[in-house]
Each structure stands twice: as structure tokens, then as C-alpha cells.
């Protein structure tokens, strides 16, 4: 698990403890009521404020005495009015508990609500009981006021998905097996990838190019934010699972609810819904059985599939209200692996060039290096076009021979764009041996 301990949130820190009894804890996805720890008694002695440990001050003595054996199942952070982001690994959770135990409350510092933006930390226990603490302006923030604290610097070095740190999609599962699957993907390739919609039948492909397409889209995703009101903002009835099957018949499933990756790392915390960048093309990866491949009579590759024809029409300005938003190209050319991210006129010109390439009518065996072109249109549709050597994939398992001169021209265009950073607005070509 990647855990670079960079400074988290230079925003003012808020540590708000809820009052005694029960409160409604809107945990991602389920809205269940959680029980919160008892509130602190803050009556000050007549001879002035007495320094004491933060956990003692909060009346968390039982928590402090037992968190190594009864470790919380989750720790979340919320910055101001933004989303709560959880981690589920014991290392981070214990580090946060140790940091709080090291803190001292030294004096009363001000009135409640005067410390600025709050940062709230919540520990979720096995069974759903929650302990919530917050800071504002570097001070402990309670309903009764602000309190000066010292120590516990390690708390602010923890990172959370969406709030810093090097988290990729596979890290969000906090699962060593999934991390190993991702890290060893190319050494231990799955034998198939499947897509299942709304719990129905699974459509599988054994094409290595398709398996890699799906994995690369997942691996290249970044976290945009976390959805805390899924019942209001996403369609919970629409689910899509991407399933990688291994040679030993084990499998790894990555599930989406509507557009959000959905991860349940702890039943006590509940599902977490992640909005991602970089996966818009995932639903358009072609996973079809060979028997559904229609006959291709030859000619421009726009005749192969409807979505390729639509992309060219959008690039030519022939579709009302639909334009080319961008193009992402993952390429292997002459032993060099790199990528391009194009938008604007460059994306339009590239789509026009690619879609005008001609191919023959007979299916051939693909060989050579891959160029994968991901086209995103403004209605969030768009084709994924896979070239292998001088062939282009029509559907899974079916490739057609392309015009060799057109393919050489395409490869030269890609290499030229990769060397000209002015042509690339959101990414840059890179090469590796």
C-alpha cells in the first residue's frame, strides 16, 4: 500500500466531539445511525485549567487503553464541508491513535466556532460505534470552546484518498491480494475479463488486448471525490462489475454503481462511492462473443463499428450538440511505450486521421506492437480503437489488415506529437524501454 507521509491539509484542524447519546452518522452509502462516544465534561477547577492528556480530557480512557487490541476498523477525515475520506489499514489507524494519545490539552483558547475551518477525524469501531474528534486553527474544537494542544504531529502526516498521497484505484480496497494482482498484472496476466450489468449474465473476453484495455483504464484512474449522498446523486439500481479471471480460476471483481467505483472495505463502515477521473471510456470497451461480429466489407474503418462512424461525424461537425472532447493514445512504437493526451483542434484532427484509415475485408491474425486510441465525445460516448501492427480490431478476436502507408503515417504522427509538448494540453508522451 502506498503511504507516502506527506503533510496533510494545511487547513485549520477541527476536532468536534458530538454530544452524549446518539447522532445520525451519514456513512458513505447507507445513512445508518451510529453511536458516538460520550461527550467530555469541561468544567474547570477553581484554581485554573490543568494540563492533561487529550484522550483523558475527552474521557476516552477506555479507548486509549484498548485500541491496540480493539483497533478501529476505519478512520476518516473531513476537511471543512468537503467529503469524508476513509482509510482501513491498521498502520494508519494505529498511528492516528498513537498521535492523539501523545497530545496534551494545555489551556482554554477561545469560544466555540471561532477557530475557522474544521478538520474532523472519525474512528469507526467494530459494531459501528464512532469516536469523533476535531481541530480548528490548530486547536481542539468542542461545543464548549477551543482548547490549546501540543504534540501529536504524526496525525497531520497521515494521507487519505483525495486529500493527498499516492493512492491509485487498487489502493482503495486496502487489500493485499488486490494490490498484488495490480502489481503483478503483466507477469501473471488474467486469462479473461468479463463485464456484468445489474447482476445479469457475464460477457467474457479472452482477448489479451481487451484484458489489457480494461486493466489500463482502471490503473490509470485518479480520485476526483467521494460521494456521500449516493441515494440522491447516483442511480443505485445501475451496477456494472468488471471481473478478471486468473489461470487458477480465482477472480478479482471491480464494481461500479452508476459512474462511481464502489468499495466496501469494512461492513461496519459501509460502501464508499468514489468518483474517478480517467474511466469515461470504460463502458465502451468492446466485450462481445465472436459470434456477434458482423461482416465487414472492407474500406474506411468507420464501416466497422457504429461508434467509430459517430466519432468521425462528431469530428467533422456533423452531429448536432456532440463534439470531440479529447483523445488518449497509449502506444508502443519501435519498442518505445508512451502516451498522448490531446484536445481541441489536435484531438479533432487526430480522430479524422485515424477514422479515415482503410482496412481489408478478410480477418487476419494480428501481430506487432499496439496503438490504442481512446476517443471521448461530449455525450461521454466514444470508441476505443485498437491497432496491432498493421491491423485494426473490429470486435474481440477479429482483426483486419490496414493500409500499410496509412499506418506508417499514423505512427509518425504519434511520435511527432509526443516530441512537441505544445500540441499536448493535458499530458505528455513518455518512453521507456
Amino acid at each position: 500500500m502506498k503511504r507516502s507521509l506527506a503533510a496533510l491539509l494545511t487547513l485549520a484542524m477541527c476536532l468536534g466531539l458530538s454530544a452524549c447519546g446518539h447522532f445520525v452518522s451519514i456513512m458513505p452509502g447507507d445513512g445508518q445511525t451510529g453511536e458516538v462516544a460520550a461527550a467530555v465534561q469541561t468544567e474547570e477547577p477553581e484554581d485554573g485549567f490543568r494540563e492533561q492528556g487529550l484522550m483523558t480530557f475527552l474521557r476516552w480512557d477506555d479507548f486509549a487503553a484498548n485500541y491496540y487490541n480493539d483497533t478501529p476498523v476505519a478512520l476518516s477525515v473531513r476537511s471543512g464541508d468537503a467529503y469524508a475520506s476513509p482509510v482501513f489499514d491498521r498502520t494508519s489507524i494505529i498511528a492516528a491513535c498513537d498521535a492523539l494519545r501523545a497530545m496534551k490539552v494545555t489551556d482554554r483558547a477561545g469560544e466555540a466556532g471561532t477557530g475557522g475551518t474544521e478538520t474532523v477525524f472519525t474512528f469507526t469501531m467494530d459494531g459501528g460505534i464512532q469516536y469523533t474528534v476535531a481541530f480548528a486553527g490548530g486547536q481542539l474544537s468542542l461545543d464548549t470552546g477551543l482548547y490549546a494542544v501540543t504534540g501529536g504531529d504524526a496525525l497531520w502526516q497521515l494521507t487519505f484518498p483525495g486529500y493527498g498521497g499516492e493512492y491509485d484505484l487498487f489502493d482503495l480496497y486496502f487489500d493485499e491480494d488486490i494490490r498484488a494482482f495490480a502489481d503483478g498484472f503483466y507477469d501473471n496476466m488474467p486469462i479473461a475479463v468479463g463485464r456484468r450489468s445489474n447482476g445479469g449474465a457475464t460477457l467474457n473476453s479472452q482477448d489479451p488486448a481487451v484484458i489489457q484495455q480494461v486493466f489500463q483504464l482502471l490503473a490509470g484512474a485518479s480520485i476526483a471525490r467521494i460521494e456521500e449522498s449516493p441515494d440522491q446523486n447516483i442511480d443505485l439500481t445501475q451496477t456494472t462489475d468488471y471481473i478478471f479471471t486468473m489461470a487458477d480460476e480465482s477472480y478479482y471483481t471491480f464494481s461500479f454503481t452508476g459512474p462511481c467505483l464502489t468499495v466496501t472495505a469494512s461492513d461496519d463502515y459501509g460502501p464508499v462511492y468514489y468518483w474517478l477521473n480517467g474511466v469515461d471510456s470504460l463502458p465502451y470497451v468492446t466485450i462481445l462473443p465472436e459470434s456477434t461480429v458482423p461482416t465487414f466489407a472492407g474500406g474506411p474503418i468507420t464501416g466497422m463499428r457504429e461508434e467509430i462512424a459517430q466519432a468521425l461525424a462528431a469530428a467533422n461537425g456533423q452531429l448536432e450538440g456532440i463534439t470531440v472532447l479529447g483523445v488518449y493514445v497509449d502506444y508502443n512504437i519501435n519498442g518505445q511505450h508512451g502516451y498522448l493526451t490531446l484536445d481541441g483542434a489536435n484531438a479533432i484532427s487526430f480522430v479524422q486521421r485515424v477514422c479515415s484509415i482503410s482496412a481489408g475485408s478478410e480477418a487476419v491474425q494480428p501481430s506487432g506492437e499496439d496503438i490504442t486510441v481512446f476517443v471521448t465525445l461530449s455525450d461521454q460516448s466514444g470508441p476505443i480503437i485498437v491497432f496491432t501492427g498493421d491491423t485494426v480490431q473490429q470486435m474481440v478476436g477479429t482483426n483486419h489488415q490496414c493500409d500499410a502507408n496509412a499506418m506508417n503515417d499514423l505512427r509518425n504522427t504519434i511520435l511527432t506529437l509526443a516530441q512537441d509538448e505544445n500540441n499536448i494540453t493535458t499530458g505528455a508522451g513518455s518512453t521507456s524501454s
Side-chain angles (χ1 to χ4, degrees):
M1 188 70 60
K2 304 171 186 173
R3 284 287 173 275
S4 62
L5 296 181
L8 168 73
L9 305 174
T10 55
L11 299 172
M13 315 164 201
C14 124
L15 189 56
L17 184 67
S18 301
C20 271
H22 293 76
F23 76 115
V24 176
S25 169
I26 304 301
M27 298 188 290
D30 58 15
Q32 295 176 349
T33 300
E35 184 179 347
V36 71
V40 60
Q41 303 299 316
T42 60
E43 295 181 5
E44 299 175 15
E46 294 180 0
D47 57 349
F49 193 92
R50 295 175 183 172
E51 178 180 306
Q52 55 190 299
L54 180 141
M55 285 194 171
T56 298
F57 185 71
L58 295 178
R59 302 297 186 265
W60 285 16
D61 291 321
D62 287 344
F63 177 91
N66 295 304
Y67 67 78
Y68 275 98
N69 295 322
D70 186 16
T71 303
V73 297
L75 165 64
S76 68
V77 68
R78 180 194 301 275
S79 174
D81 293 330
Y83 50 82
S85 176
V87 294
F88 299 90
D89 65 297
R90 189 174 188 275
T91 299
S92 295
I93 295 170
I94 290 294
C97 293
D98 287 345
L100 289 178
R101 189 176 63 177
M103 284 185 178
K104 302 290 185 183
V105 181
T106 60
D107 202 356
R108 184 175 177 87
E111 298 300 319
T114 61
T117 303
E118 291 187 330
T119 300
V120 181
F121 295 90
T122 300
F123 297 90
T124 300
M125 308 300 294
D126 184 8
I129 295 176
Q130 294 183 321
Y131 291 80
T132 299
V133 62
F135 292 95
Q139 300 164 325
L140 177 64
S141 176
L142 299 175
D143 291 341
T144 53
L146 299 176
Y147 297 85
V149 295
T150 61
D153 293 343
L155 181 65
W156 310 107
Q157 296 174 341
L158 297 174
T159 59
F160 296 79
Y163 284 129
E166 298 178 0
Y167 290 86
D168 66 16
L169 179 147
F170 305 107
D171 289 323
L172 303 178
Y173 290 83
F174 293 86
D175 185 297
E176 292 181 357
D177 288 342
I178 289 180
R179 183 71 261 165
F181 160 78
D183 292 342
F185 179 84
Y186 292 101
D187 294 327
N188 183 26
M189 282 271 291
I191 61 173
V193 64
R195 180 164 53 213
R196 178 176 59 212
S197 298
N198 301 325
T202 300
L203 197 61
N204 282 294
S205 171
Q206 296 182 344
D207 186 337
V210 176
I211 296 170
Q212 291 184 57
Q213 283 181 46
V214 175
F215 175 78
Q216 289 167 359
L217 283 169
L218 294 175
S222 60
I223 304 159
R225 58 187 174 88
I226 296 172
E227 178 59 62
E228 293 195 290
S229 301
D231 55 331
Q232 301 176 28
N233 297 322
I234 61 177
D235 187 349
L236 298 178
T237 67
Q238 297 298 314
T239 61
T240 305
D241 301 320
Y242 293 90
I243 306 163
F244 293 93
T245 302
M246 310 304 291
D248 63 0
E249 299 186 352
S250 64
Y251 57 89
Y252 297 89
T253 302
F254 302 91
S255 300
F256 287 77
T257 304
C260 294
L261 178 74
T262 307
V263 180
T264 303
S266 165
D267 291 335
D268 293 298
Y269 190 88
V272 185
Y273 299 89
Y274 296 94
W275 288 90
L276 302 174
N277 296 318
V279 294
D280 290 346
S281 299
L282 189 57
Y284 304 101
V285 175
T286 302
I287 304 178
L288 292 173
E290 293 185 29
S291 61
T292 67
V293 178
T295 300
F296 176 57
I301 65 171
T302 52
M304 283 186 168
R305 305 201 310 262
E306 181 179 350
E307 75 268 28
I308 300 179
Q310 185 181 36
L312 180 59
N316 291 336
Q318 298 170 346
L319 295 181
E320 183 177 354
I322 301 178
T323 59
V324 176
L325 281 186
V327 175
Y328 178 86
V329 184
D330 188 324
Y331 65 85
N332 279 283
I333 299 176
N334 299 330
Q336 300 181 77
H337 177 232
Y339 70 91
L340 298 173
T341 305
L342 308 173
D343 64 5
N346 290 310
I348 292 172
S349 175
F350 194 86
V351 169
Q352 291 169 335
R353 179 185 299 273
V354 167
C355 292
S356 65
I357 293 175
S358 292
S361 60
E362 293 187 7
V364 297
Q365 186 66 31
S367 65
E369 297 174 316
D370 292 330
I371 298 173
T372 306
V373 178
F374 304 82
V375 181
T376 301
L377 304 182
S378 57
D379 65 350
Q380 300 305 309
S381 68
I384 299 176
I385 308 172
V386 181
F387 298 94
T388 302
D390 284 347
T391 72
V392 63
Q393 183 184 87
Q394 181 191 14
M395 297 291 184
V396 175
T398 305
N399 281 61
H400 294 260
Q401 187 73 43
C402 293
D403 179 78
N405 291 329
M407 289 305 301
N408 283 332
D409 184 46
L410 176 63
R411 284 188 281 267
N412 290 332
T413 298
I414 291 172
L415 292 178
T416 299
L417 288 170
Q419 295 172 0
D420 186 355
E421 294 183 357
N422 293 326
N423 286 329
I424 306 168
T425 58
T426 57
S430 63
T431 59
S432 61
S433 59

